mmCIF file of all heavy atoms in Angstrom:
data_model
loop_
_atom_site.group_PDB
_atom_site.id
_atom_site.type_symbol
_atom_site.label_atom_id
_atom_site.label_comp_id
_atom_site.label_asym_id
_atom_site.label_seq_id
_atom_site.Cartn_x
_atom_site.Cartn_y
_atom_site.Cartn_z
ATOM 1 N N ALA A 39 5.855 30.219 5.448
ATOM 2 C CA ALA A 39 7.079 29.525 5.039
ATOM 3 C C ALA A 39 7.333 28.307 5.919
ATOM 4 O O ALA A 39 7.945 27.339 5.477
ATOM 5 C CB ALA A 39 8.265 30.480 5.092
ATOM 6 N N ALA A 40 6.851 28.305 7.143
ATOM 7 C CA ALA A 40 7.055 27.179 8.055
ATOM 8 C C ALA A 40 6.367 25.918 7.559
ATOM 9 O O ALA A 40 6.737 24.816 7.953
ATOM 10 C CB ALA A 40 6.550 27.541 9.442
ATOM 11 N N LEU A 41 5.382 26.048 6.675
ATOM 12 C CA LEU A 41 4.685 24.874 6.150
ATOM 13 C C LEU A 41 5.604 23.935 5.389
ATOM 14 O O LEU A 41 5.380 22.734 5.358
ATOM 15 C CB LEU A 41 3.556 25.305 5.203
ATOM 16 C CG LEU A 41 2.199 25.492 5.829
ATOM 17 C CD1 LEU A 41 1.217 25.984 4.787
ATOM 18 C CD2 LEU A 41 1.701 24.240 6.474
ATOM 19 N N ALA A 42 6.599 24.460 4.737
ATOM 20 C CA ALA A 42 7.511 23.635 3.949
ATOM 21 C C ALA A 42 8.475 22.868 4.830
ATOM 22 O O ALA A 42 9.078 21.902 4.401
ATOM 23 C CB ALA A 42 8.299 24.489 2.956
ATOM 24 N N GLN A 43 8.598 23.302 6.059
ATOM 25 C CA GLN A 43 9.514 22.642 6.980
ATOM 26 C C GLN A 43 8.736 21.616 7.796
ATOM 27 O O GLN A 43 7.535 21.544 7.738
ATOM 28 C CB GLN A 43 10.161 23.681 7.888
ATOM 29 C CG GLN A 43 10.913 24.716 7.110
ATOM 30 C CD GLN A 43 11.247 25.948 7.938
ATOM 31 O OE1 GLN A 43 10.790 26.095 9.049
ATOM 32 N NE2 GLN A 43 12.037 26.831 7.360
ATOM 33 N N GLY A 44 9.446 20.854 8.531
ATOM 34 C CA GLY A 44 8.799 19.848 9.357
ATOM 35 C C GLY A 44 9.443 18.510 9.109
ATOM 36 O O GLY A 44 9.965 18.253 8.025
ATOM 37 N N PRO A 45 9.401 17.663 10.086
ATOM 38 C CA PRO A 45 10.061 16.373 9.942
ATOM 39 C C PRO A 45 9.335 15.449 8.979
ATOM 40 O O PRO A 45 8.128 15.250 9.090
ATOM 41 C CB PRO A 45 10.059 15.822 11.368
ATOM 42 C CG PRO A 45 8.977 16.555 12.077
ATOM 43 C CD PRO A 45 8.808 17.868 11.386
ATOM 44 N N GLY A 46 10.073 14.942 8.008
ATOM 45 C CA GLY A 46 9.631 13.898 7.083
ATOM 46 C C GLY A 46 8.190 13.960 6.652
ATOM 47 O O GLY A 46 7.770 14.863 5.954
ATOM 48 N N GLU A 47 7.418 12.972 7.099
ATOM 49 C CA GLU A 47 6.048 12.817 6.632
ATOM 50 C C GLU A 47 5.092 13.870 7.168
ATOM 51 O O GLU A 47 3.969 13.978 6.708
ATOM 52 C CB GLU A 47 5.526 11.414 6.963
ATOM 53 C CG GLU A 47 5.367 11.119 8.434
ATOM 54 C CD GLU A 47 6.653 10.703 9.146
ATOM 55 O OE1 GLU A 47 7.670 10.448 8.493
ATOM 56 O OE2 GLU A 47 6.632 10.657 10.377
ATOM 57 N N GLN A 48 5.508 14.673 8.145
ATOM 58 C CA GLN A 48 4.626 15.706 8.666
ATOM 59 C C GLN A 48 4.543 16.918 7.738
ATOM 60 O O GLN A 48 3.558 17.634 7.758
ATOM 61 C CB GLN A 48 5.076 16.138 10.055
ATOM 62 C CG GLN A 48 4.822 15.086 11.101
ATOM 63 C CD GLN A 48 5.187 15.568 12.489
ATOM 64 O OE1 GLN A 48 5.962 16.509 12.639
ATOM 65 N NE2 GLN A 48 4.627 14.933 13.491
ATOM 66 N N ALA A 49 5.562 17.144 6.943
ATOM 67 C CA ALA A 49 5.540 18.256 5.994
ATOM 68 C C ALA A 49 4.659 17.861 4.819
ATOM 69 O O ALA A 49 4.715 16.728 4.332
ATOM 70 C CB ALA A 49 6.950 18.574 5.517
ATOM 71 N N PRO A 50 3.814 18.759 4.355
ATOM 72 C CA PRO A 50 2.938 18.409 3.224
ATOM 73 C C PRO A 50 3.710 18.249 1.920
ATOM 74 O O PRO A 50 4.750 18.867 1.720
ATOM 75 C CB PRO A 50 1.971 19.598 3.143
ATOM 76 C CG PRO A 50 2.701 20.725 3.777
ATOM 77 C CD PRO A 50 3.602 20.123 4.820
ATOM 78 N N THR A 51 3.185 17.397 1.059
ATOM 79 C CA THR A 51 3.713 17.215 -0.286
ATOM 80 C C THR A 51 3.051 18.203 -1.237
ATOM 81 O O THR A 51 3.632 18.627 -2.223
ATOM 82 C CB THR A 51 3.431 15.779 -0.772
ATOM 83 O OG1 THR A 51 3.938 14.875 0.196
ATOM 84 C CG2 THR A 51 4.065 15.502 -2.105
ATOM 85 N N VAL A 52 1.807 18.561 -0.903
ATOM 86 C CA VAL A 52 1.000 19.480 -1.715
ATOM 87 C C VAL A 52 0.422 20.545 -0.789
ATOM 88 O O VAL A 52 -0.039 20.227 0.304
ATOM 89 C CB VAL A 52 -0.150 18.727 -2.424
ATOM 90 C CG1 VAL A 52 -1.025 19.689 -3.211
ATOM 91 C CG2 VAL A 52 0.380 17.611 -3.295
ATOM 92 N N ILE A 53 0.455 21.794 -1.245
ATOM 93 C CA ILE A 53 -0.199 22.877 -0.516
ATOM 94 C C ILE A 53 -1.176 23.556 -1.474
ATOM 95 O O ILE A 53 -0.782 24.056 -2.525
ATOM 96 C CB ILE A 53 0.812 23.915 0.021
ATOM 97 C CG1 ILE A 53 1.775 23.263 1.006
ATOM 98 C CG2 ILE A 53 0.071 25.085 0.670
ATOM 99 C CD1 ILE A 53 2.875 24.187 1.501
ATOM 100 N N ALA A 54 -2.454 23.532 -1.115
ATOM 101 C CA ALA A 54 -3.482 24.237 -1.882
ATOM 102 C C ALA A 54 -3.815 25.513 -1.113
ATOM 103 O O ALA A 54 -3.961 25.490 0.111
ATOM 104 C CB ALA A 54 -4.724 23.370 -2.040
ATOM 105 N N PHE A 55 -3.921 26.623 -1.831
ATOM 106 C CA PHE A 55 -4.134 27.903 -1.162
ATOM 107 C C PHE A 55 -4.947 28.838 -2.041
ATOM 108 O O PHE A 55 -5.042 28.657 -3.251
ATOM 109 C CB PHE A 55 -2.794 28.552 -0.792
ATOM 110 C CG PHE A 55 -1.921 28.852 -1.996
ATOM 111 C CD1 PHE A 55 -1.965 30.087 -2.605
ATOM 112 C CD2 PHE A 55 -1.079 27.878 -2.509
ATOM 113 C CE1 PHE A 55 -1.175 30.360 -3.716
ATOM 114 C CE2 PHE A 55 -0.286 28.143 -3.616
ATOM 115 C CZ PHE A 55 -0.325 29.378 -4.224
ATOM 116 N N ASP A 56 -5.529 29.846 -1.422
ATOM 117 C CA ASP A 56 -6.265 30.903 -2.109
ATOM 118 C C ASP A 56 -5.228 31.869 -2.688
ATOM 119 O O ASP A 56 -4.430 32.452 -1.941
ATOM 120 C CB ASP A 56 -7.179 31.597 -1.114
ATOM 121 C CG ASP A 56 -8.018 32.706 -1.716
ATOM 122 O OD1 ASP A 56 -7.722 33.171 -2.845
ATOM 123 O OD2 ASP A 56 -8.978 33.118 -1.059
ATOM 124 N N LEU A 57 -5.212 32.030 -3.998
ATOM 125 C CA LEU A 57 -4.230 32.911 -4.648
ATOM 126 C C LEU A 57 -4.273 34.339 -4.113
ATOM 127 O O LEU A 57 -3.251 35.012 -4.080
ATOM 128 C CB LEU A 57 -4.455 32.935 -6.157
ATOM 129 C CG LEU A 57 -3.770 31.846 -6.966
ATOM 130 C CD1 LEU A 57 -4.258 31.864 -8.409
ATOM 131 C CD2 LEU A 57 -2.273 31.977 -6.912
ATOM 132 N N ALA A 58 -5.428 34.780 -3.676
ATOM 133 C CA ALA A 58 -5.557 36.150 -3.187
ATOM 134 C C ALA A 58 -4.851 36.358 -1.849
ATOM 135 O O ALA A 58 -4.588 37.487 -1.455
ATOM 136 C CB ALA A 58 -7.033 36.517 -3.045
ATOM 137 N N GLU A 59 -4.503 35.267 -1.154
ATOM 138 C CA GLU A 59 -3.919 35.378 0.174
ATOM 139 C C GLU A 59 -2.409 35.171 0.206
ATOM 140 O O GLU A 59 -1.811 35.215 1.275
ATOM 141 C CB GLU A 59 -4.587 34.373 1.118
ATOM 142 C CG GLU A 59 -6.060 34.641 1.363
ATOM 143 C CD GLU A 59 -6.692 33.648 2.312
ATOM 144 O OE1 GLU A 59 -5.983 32.786 2.869
ATOM 145 O OE2 GLU A 59 -7.910 33.735 2.509
ATOM 146 N N VAL A 60 -1.776 34.939 -0.943
ATOM 147 C CA VAL A 60 -0.354 34.583 -0.944
ATOM 148 C C VAL A 60 0.417 35.457 -1.924
ATOM 149 O O VAL A 60 -0.040 35.708 -3.039
ATOM 150 C CB VAL A 60 -0.173 33.095 -1.323
ATOM 151 C CG1 VAL A 60 1.282 32.729 -1.435
ATOM 152 C CG2 VAL A 60 -0.855 32.212 -0.298
ATOM 153 N N THR A 61 1.605 35.884 -1.515
ATOM 154 C CA THR A 61 2.472 36.651 -2.401
ATOM 155 C C THR A 61 3.365 35.713 -3.200
ATOM 156 O O THR A 61 3.623 34.583 -2.782
ATOM 157 C CB THR A 61 3.373 37.614 -1.604
ATOM 158 O OG1 THR A 61 4.293 36.845 -0.830
ATOM 159 C CG2 THR A 61 2.559 38.532 -0.716
ATOM 160 N N GLY A 62 3.838 36.193 -4.319
ATOM 161 C CA GLY A 62 4.759 35.418 -5.137
ATOM 162 C C GLY A 62 6.057 35.116 -4.408
ATOM 163 O O GLY A 62 6.645 34.052 -4.581
ATOM 164 N N ASN A 63 6.505 36.055 -3.580
ATOM 165 C CA ASN A 63 7.736 35.850 -2.821
ATOM 166 C C ASN A 63 7.622 34.651 -1.892
ATOM 167 O O ASN A 63 8.563 33.875 -1.747
ATOM 168 C CB ASN A 63 8.098 37.094 -2.011
ATOM 169 C CG ASN A 63 8.528 38.240 -2.888
ATOM 170 O OD1 ASN A 63 8.905 38.049 -4.041
ATOM 171 N ND2 ASN A 63 8.455 39.446 -2.357
ATOM 172 N N LEU A 64 6.482 34.497 -1.239
ATOM 173 C CA LEU A 64 6.284 33.372 -0.337
ATOM 174 C C LEU A 64 6.269 32.064 -1.116
ATOM 175 O O LEU A 64 6.888 31.081 -0.703
ATOM 176 C CB LEU A 64 4.990 33.530 0.466
ATOM 177 C CG LEU A 64 4.650 32.377 1.400
ATOM 178 C CD1 LEU A 64 5.779 32.110 2.404
ATOM 179 C CD2 LEU A 64 3.345 32.643 2.118
ATOM 180 N N ALA A 65 5.602 32.051 -2.249
ATOM 181 C CA ALA A 65 5.549 30.833 -3.072
ATOM 182 C C ALA A 65 6.952 30.419 -3.518
ATOM 183 O O ALA A 65 7.321 29.246 -3.433
ATOM 184 C CB ALA A 65 4.639 31.050 -4.278
ATOM 185 N N ILE A 66 7.734 31.370 -3.960
ATOM 186 C CA ILE A 66 9.105 31.062 -4.404
ATOM 187 C C ILE A 66 9.947 30.577 -3.228
ATOM 188 O O ILE A 66 10.711 29.617 -3.350
ATOM 189 C CB ILE A 66 9.735 32.285 -5.094
ATOM 190 C CG1 ILE A 66 9.038 32.513 -6.441
ATOM 191 C CG2 ILE A 66 11.237 32.093 -5.291
ATOM 192 C CD1 ILE A 66 9.394 33.809 -7.119
ATOM 193 N N ALA A 67 9.788 31.192 -2.065
ATOM 194 C CA ALA A 67 10.529 30.751 -0.878
ATOM 195 C C ALA A 67 10.177 29.316 -0.517
ATOM 196 O O ALA A 67 11.055 28.513 -0.180
ATOM 197 C CB ALA A 67 10.250 31.685 0.294
ATOM 198 N N LEU A 68 8.901 28.978 -0.603
ATOM 199 C CA LEU A 68 8.473 27.607 -0.310
ATOM 200 C C LEU A 68 9.090 26.611 -1.286
ATOM 201 O O LEU A 68 9.565 25.545 -0.893
ATOM 202 C CB LEU A 68 6.944 27.503 -0.356
ATOM 203 C CG LEU A 68 6.195 28.137 0.807
ATOM 204 C CD1 LEU A 68 4.714 28.266 0.476
ATOM 205 C CD2 LEU A 68 6.387 27.336 2.079
ATOM 206 N N LEU A 69 9.092 26.967 -2.570
ATOM 207 C CA LEU A 69 9.635 26.060 -3.584
ATOM 208 C C LEU A 69 11.150 25.921 -3.464
ATOM 209 O O LEU A 69 11.707 24.861 -3.746
ATOM 210 C CB LEU A 69 9.244 26.527 -4.984
ATOM 211 C CG LEU A 69 7.757 26.409 -5.299
ATOM 212 C CD1 LEU A 69 7.456 27.039 -6.645
ATOM 213 C CD2 LEU A 69 7.303 24.963 -5.264
ATOM 214 N N ARG A 70 11.817 26.963 -3.048
ATOM 215 C CA ARG A 70 13.271 26.871 -2.830
ATOM 216 C C ARG A 70 13.589 25.977 -1.638
ATOM 217 O O ARG A 70 14.555 25.230 -1.642
ATOM 218 C CB ARG A 70 13.875 28.255 -2.625
ATOM 219 C CG ARG A 70 14.048 29.005 -3.911
ATOM 220 C CD ARG A 70 14.828 30.268 -3.688
ATOM 221 N NE ARG A 70 15.046 30.926 -4.961
ATOM 222 C CZ ARG A 70 15.191 32.220 -5.104
ATOM 223 N NH1 ARG A 70 15.153 33.009 -4.059
ATOM 224 N NH2 ARG A 70 15.394 32.739 -6.290
#
Side-chain angles (χ1 to χ4, degrees):
L41 268 177
Q43 301 165 352
E47 66 278 350
Q48 289 184 339
T51 306
V52 177
I53 298 175
F55 61 93
D56 181 345
L57 273 171
E59 295 181 5
V60 176
T61 67
N63 291 340
L64 177 57
I66 290 170
L68 287 166
L69 292 174
R70 282 188 177 152

